[in-house]
Amino acid sequence: MTIDPREYRATIGLFATGVTVITADDGKQVRGMTANSLTSVSLDPLLLLVCVDRKARMAPVISAATHFAVNILRTDQEAIARHFAGRLQPDLEILFTELAGAPVLHDSLAALVCRRDRILDGGDHVIVLGQVVALRRSSKGEPLLYFAGSYRQLAEPSPTLAAAD
Ligand SMILES: Cc1cc2nc3c(=O)[nH]c(=O)nc-3n(C[C@H](O)[C@H](O)[C@H](O)COP(=O)(O)OP(=O)(O)OC[C@H]3O[C@@H](n4cnc5c(N)ncnc54)[C@H](O)[C@@H]3O)c2cc1C
């Protein structure tokens, strides 16, 4: 059975996710890319993965960087998600800080810094495995969601979160 890629995208798009911006430093500048392919892989060791399109400018950057960060966005950061998905947002202020060797977005819901572990073949994407070496999370804020090609938010407020640095 041959599956139309558009049908595949419409179907897999029914899997609701959070939204992240992956950040890494290419040695000259910080690069960011919106991604929702984040998966937590292992607790011992602490591993997560993100899939990056081989055609994305982020692919060679994250493949070469020793560290990268996964920034989990809040509902009020939809413009940031759009920007780092290639839709430039005028007058958007983007601030980075440094955490454990990687650039992180200022004021996201959470950030996880990874040491790049392995790059695996994932068809037209590369699968980037990272070992989590630092994390930071906010005590307030709601997650930005993505469902069926649209940004969404929780219908009910989330319970109070415990912050971590
Ligand atoms: C919800 C969602 C989830 C997605 N998930 C994935 C995924 O998991 N994997 C995947 O491969 N693609 C994913 N994409 C698509 C991906 O975000 C876009 O294709 C993106 O444009 C690819 O980025 P790029 O690395 O080619 O760089 P570009 O398109 O060149 O960069 C993206 C944007 O970020 C800006 N930018 C980069 N660095 C900085 C900086 N330091 N300061 C300010 N602006 C900067 C650029 O100006 C550009 O506008 C997703 C898109 C969406 C909307």
Side-chain angles (χ1 to χ4, degrees):
M1 175 179 164
T2 306
I3 294 176
D4 180 341
R6 281 170 306 180
E7 287 296 315
Y8 172 74
R9 288 179 72 127
T11 306
I12 198 69
L14 299 180
F15 183 60
T17 67
V19 182
T20 76
V21 172
I22 310 301
T23 45
D25 199 321
D26 70 4
K28 294 195 210 97
Q29 60 171 354
V30 175
R31 283 217 67 86
M33 189 194 87
T34 300
N36 67 346
S37 56
L38 176 68
T39 300
S40 176
V41 174
S42 161
L43 292 178
D44 185 15
L46 285 178
L47 291 173
L48 58 74
L49 71 77
V50 63
C51 303
V52 179
D53 192 326
R54 290 183 188 276
K55 293 195 291 298
R57 270 181 261 239
M58 179 54 94
V61 176
I62 199 167
S63 299
T66 58
H67 292 74
F68 66 92
V70 176
N71 303 271
I72 301 173
L73 299 187
R74 301 188 319 237
T75 42
D76 60 356
Q77 294 178 314
E78 185 178 320
I80 290 182
R82 290 183 187 279
H83 176 84
F84 284 106
R87 296 183 59 180
L88 283 181
Q89 307 290 305
D91 305 326
L92 183 65
E93 191 183 29
I94 299 167
L95 297 174
F96 298 102
T97 53
E98 194 268 346
L99 178 66
V104 293
L105 274 177
H106 179 71
D107 212 21
S108 58
L109 186 60
L112 300 102
V113 174
C114 299
R115 187 183 309 119
R116 182 173 48 76
D117 182 88
R118 260 162 292 174
I119 308 288
L120 304 173
D121 179 25
D124 60 9
H125 283 53
V126 288
I127 302 167
V128 183
L129 270 174
Q131 179 153 9
V132 181
V133 294
L135 44 79
R136 193 191 69 191
R137 60 180 194 269
S138 169
S139 60
K140 58 180 177 4
E142 300 287 319
L144 180 63
L145 305 180
Y146 200 69
F147 174 70
S150 299
Y151 293 98
R152 308 286 282 261
Q153 52 188 288
L154 293 172
E156 292 177 16
S158 56
T160 306
L161 305 168
D165 270 312

